[in-house]
Amino acid sequence: MERIFANLYRCSAPNRRGTSHTYLLVRKEGNLLIGHQTAPQPEDFDEIEKLGGIHSQWICHHHDTIRNGVHEALHARFGCELHHHRIERKGVRPKTKCPAVQFGDEGFQLGDDFEAFYFPSCTVGQSIYRWRCRGKYYLFTSHAIYLRDDKWEIQFRSQAEPDQQRRFAKLPKLQLDYVFPGYTALEEEAFYRFSDTTRKAFARALRASVKKAA
């Protein structure tokens, strides 16, 4: 398990997309694990225990589910339930029987530092997650958002009701400092740090994606 920032750790492993990354967010209110097909290794479990265990597990959509009993093993060791959008249940349950907490299109707020946003992309029930730590904002996106050749690639689709469209319209206004994809090609950066230029370009690209999908 690799330490990226003071309170952010990452487990990475080869994947058919290149590399997949699972993140441990260390919080006073309880640590969170955002999974993307990469399982913490047995030797990581003791380190995670020393860091405070895992309060809850999260996946952006059912493609991110870790098979072979990993979610169940994490729940057995740390008591952490799996969180995801309710639409993803049909895809999640064949892969894991870990006790789950589901949320809807309105998203999910955990404490005052972590929130889920409904963001339909390659699956109808996909969500993305924003975390605030030490004054910085981190966005975890699975494979919905990438920066390639200085251009933002955003997968977004929606035929939502007007109330949901109003929620989507707020997304480009979110304060952000870093984007962490769940999957990266071998030659790609594993995460993106916003500059003034890339932040403005991201807001424009996201507004265009939301408008196009409306």
Side-chain angles (χ1 to χ4, degrees), residues 104-119:
D105 295 356
E106 70 282 357
F108 195 99
Q109 181 78 40
L110 186 66
D112 62 359
D113 65 329
F114 184 82
E115 52 196 329
F117 296 96
Y118 177 46
F119 195 86

Side-chain angles (χ1 to χ4, degrees), residues 11-41:
C11 304
S12 301
N15 182 277
R16 62 186 178 86
R17 296 178 182 275
T19 307
S20 61
H21 312 283
T22 286
Y23 300 95
L24 179 71
L25 287 53
V26 177
R27 308 163 62 244
K28 290 181 180 178
E29 302 84 353
N31 299 343
L32 312 180
L33 189 77
I34 302 178
H36 299 103
Q37 295 186 8
T38 296
Q41 297 301 304

Side-chain angles (χ1 to χ4, degrees), residues 69-138:
V70 173
H71 294 294
E72 291 91 332
L74 290 168
H75 180 264
R77 175 73 179 266
F78 303 108
C80 47
E81 296 176 316
L82 181 64
H83 292 63
H84 57 79
H85 194 286
R86 62 172 176 258
I87 297 176
E88 296 300 291
R89 183 182 186 280
K90 184 177 180 180
V92 170
R93 298 314 288 171
K95 301 175 183 178
T96 178
K97 297 300 187 291
C98 179
V101 175
Q102 301 171 33
F103 54 86
D105 295 356
E106 70 282 357
F108 195 99
Q109 181 78 40
L110 186 66
D112 62 359
D113 65 329
F114 184 82
E115 52 196 329
F117 296 96
Y118 177 46
F119 195 86
S121 182
C122 67
T123 69
V124 179
Q126 182 158 344
S127 300
I128 56 178
Y129 302 117
R130 187 176 72 149
W131 177 48
R132 188 187 78 252
C133 180
R134 299 188 176 188
K136 299 296 184 181
Y137 288 84
Y138 304 82

Side-chain angles (χ1 to χ4, degrees), residues 110-211:
L110 186 66
D112 62 359
D113 65 329
F114 184 82
E115 52 196 329
F117 296 96
Y118 177 46
F119 195 86
S121 182
C122 67
T123 69
V124 179
Q126 182 158 344
S127 300
I128 56 178
Y129 302 117
R130 187 176 72 149
W131 177 48
R132 188 187 78 252
C133 180
R134 299 188 176 188
K136 299 296 184 181
Y137 288 84
Y138 304 82
L139 190 68
F140 300 89
T141 64
S142 187
H143 49 79
I145 297 173
Y146 289 101
L147 179 63
R148 289 174 173 147
D149 298 324
D150 297 323
K151 181 179 179 181
W152 289 102
E153 296 182 5
I154 299 175
Q155 299 180 38
F156 181 83
R157 62 178 184 178
S158 173
Q159 296 179 352
E161 297 298 323
D163 283 349
Q164 190 60 50
Q165 288 295 341
R166 284 191 284 271
R167 293 191 186 106
F168 293 148
K170 296 178 182 179
L171 293 176
K173 302 175 184 179
L174 291 176
Q175 185 174 344
L176 297 170
D177 295 287
Y178 298 93
V179 174
F180 284 85
Y183 307 90
T184 53
L186 293 176
E187 68 277 8
E188 287 182 330
E189 296 290 335
F191 66 91
Y192 319 125
R193 187 193 314 263
F194 277 109
S195 65
D196 288 342
T197 300
T198 56
R199 183 179 287 107
K200 291 176 182 177
F202 176 77
R204 287 195 301 269
L206 189 50
R207 279 195 298 268
S209 296
V210 170
K211 184 178 180 180

